[in-house]
Amino acid sequence: MGNPKRRHSHTRGAKRRTNYKLAVPGLSRCKQCGAAKWPHRACANCGAYGSLKIVQAITSKKED
């Protein structure tokens, strides 16, 4: 494979890399509680996956 004869400018590299950005992940609503959650994962708020209760919801307790 050939190598470039000359160095590319910063502008040329930046034009090529202009679309290298992260996509915003899509969120869906939980069917049980309506909280926003990642698709195809159990809800962190109520612990439901679809119509089934899979895991117990995580509750944070503040200890003094």
Side-chain angles (χ1 to χ4, degrees), residues 6 8 15 22-23 25 29 31-32 46 54 56:
R6 302 248 189 289
H8 283 221
K15 284 181 187 177
L22 293 174
R29 294 276 173 201
K31 292 181 181 178
Q32 299 291 328
C46 67
I54 301 295
Q56 190 168 357

Side-chain angles (χ1 to χ4, degrees), residues 3 16 18-19 23-24 30 33 36-38 40 43-44 47-48 51-52 54 58 61-62 64:
N3 290 325
R16 185 178 62 250
T18 189
N19 294 314
V24 176
C30 176
C33 65
K37 70 175 193 73
W38 297 100
H40 306 288
C43 177
S51 61
L52 303 173
I54 301 295
I58 300 168
K61 293 182 180 179
K62 190 174 182 180
D64 293 319

